[in-house]
Amino acid sequence: MTSDGGTNRGGSICPQGAVSSLITEGRMNEAYKGQSGIIYKSEMRRKLMEEGYRIWGNVGDQWSDLHGQFVGNTTFKLPNPMYFVP
C-alpha cells in the first residue's frame, strides 16, 4: 500500500475505506502481490464458489477476467483499448 492508503496498482489509487474493506473481506492479501491477473482473479472466483455462489456469466474488458479457472458458463469480452492487465 502507498502512504495515502491506496494500492497504486496500475497507477490508480483506492480510497482508504475501499482498501480496508478489501482486506477485511480477504480479497486483498500480500500473498497475491506480483501474481498475474489470471491467477488472482481465478482465486477470487474460487472463493466466491466456495461461499456458495454460482458463476453463470462473466463479463470483462481484460482477457485476465475471462481466462483461468471458475470463469462461469458464458464469458463476454468487452473492448478496452486503453490498458492491458497481464
Side-chain angles (χ1 to χ4, degrees):
M1 255 193 295
T2 61
S3 61
D4 61 359
T7 62
N8 203 20
R9 181 174 182 167
S12 64
I13 304 296
C14 293
Q16 182 58 44
V19 172
S20 297
S21 178
L22 289 170
I23 292 170
T24 301
E25 293 176 11
R27 310 267 189 243
M28 188 170 157
N29 186 317
E30 286 294 318
Y32 302 117
K33 190 173 184 176
Q35 290 185 358
S36 76
I38 293 173
I39 293 171
Y40 173 77
K41 293 171 186 181
S42 291
E43 180 65 17
M44 293 299 106
R45 290 189 298 261
R46 180 189 65 77
K47 287 183 177 184
L48 288 170
M49 302 240 356
E50 286 178 352
E51 292 173 11
Y53 292 95
R54 296 183 200 174
I55 302 173
W56 291 104
N58 192 351
V59 178
D61 66 341
Q62 299 294 311
W63 286 113
S64 60
D65 297 332
L66 309 174
H67 288 158
Q69 298 179 327
F70 311 102
V71 293
N73 296 343
T74 306
T75 59
F76 302 93
K77 171 71 169 76
L78 302 174
N80 184 349
M82 301 305 289
Y83 70 98
F84 171 73
V85 176

